[in-house]
Amino acid sequence: EDAVHPTDNNLYNLVWWVFISMIFYFVVPALVVTFGQRRSLSEIGLSFRIENGFLKLLALCVAIMLPLVYLMSLTSGFAAKYPFLKIYNGEPYLGSTLLVWELVYFLQFFGLEFFFRGFLLHSLKPSLGGYAIFAMMVPYCMIHWGKPMPETFAAIFAGIFLGWLSYRNSNIWMGLV
């Protein structure tokens, strides 16, 4: 119940941001692919083919990224930017509002992966081949401008790595996970 009162938190604003993001990251590109390119969405990253060794790669990525993310979370730049969800009424942070926000935020990540590692990468793949990864990485890095500098630089490497995963597996799921 506390999650639905706009004076108690900024959840409404965040949900609106995710809604708009989904229109431009997913709905518009999906329409372009379906009606403009006349391709199936499975051709640009929504196939469910997962390569052998996915769990090993996922475990390795988590083992590397969790400590790095934790260490970065201790810096003043990250503390000033995150978390996005703000609670104003004294409600415990770990509660229903956070759960709703995390479920909605997942949609934003899905849209982001679909747009960059699906739509952009796989639409450019026929003409650019492997260079499509780098073409996709540039605007991906640009959406990180204004965030803490380490995150912006990390977006270069993450964009290339996640792009490589999608290019190789023809899906966005590994990057989304």
Side-chain angles (χ1 to χ4, degrees), residues 63-80:
I64 292 169
M65 291 308 298
L66 274 182
L68 288 174
V69 169
Y70 174 74
L71 290 173
M72 288 292 103
S73 76
L74 301 175
T75 65
S76 60
F78 279 83

Side-chain angles (χ1 to χ4, degrees), residues 98-111:
L98 179 63
L99 177 62
V100 169
W101 166 236
E102 290 298 330
L103 292 172
V104 169
Y105 198 31
F106 176 81
L107 289 175
Q108 188 271 339
F109 276 106
F110 168 78

Side-chain angles (χ1 to χ4, degrees), residues 39-135:
R39 296 169 71 189
S40 163
L41 295 180
S42 65
E43 293 178 52
I44 62 156
L46 292 187
S47 72
F48 286 101
R49 186 180 74 87
I50 302 291
E51 74 172 26
N52 292 336
F54 167 70
L55 291 178
K56 280 186 192 177
L57 182 60
L58 178 62
L60 178 64
C61 290
V62 168
I64 292 169
M65 291 308 298
L66 274 182
L68 288 174
V69 169
Y70 174 74
L71 290 173
M72 288 292 103
S73 76
L74 301 175
T75 65
S76 60
F78 279 83
K81 185 74 176 174
Y82 301 106
F84 287 144
L85 178 66
K86 307 290 187 212
I87 305 289
Y88 306 126
N89 66 352
E91 170 191 349
Y93 198 80
L94 297 176
S96 61
T97 303
L98 179 63
L99 177 62
V100 169
W101 166 236
E102 290 298 330
L103 292 172
V104 169
Y105 198 31
F106 176 81
L107 289 175
Q108 188 271 339
F109 276 106
F110 168 78
L112 190 91
E113 282 299 312
F114 177 79
F115 181 77
F116 288 101
R117 260 70 73 183
F119 175 68
L120 277 182
L121 179 70
H122 293 288
S123 293
L124 295 171
K125 188 177 179 178
S127 59
L128 297 180
Y131 293 110
I133 295 168
F134 299 100

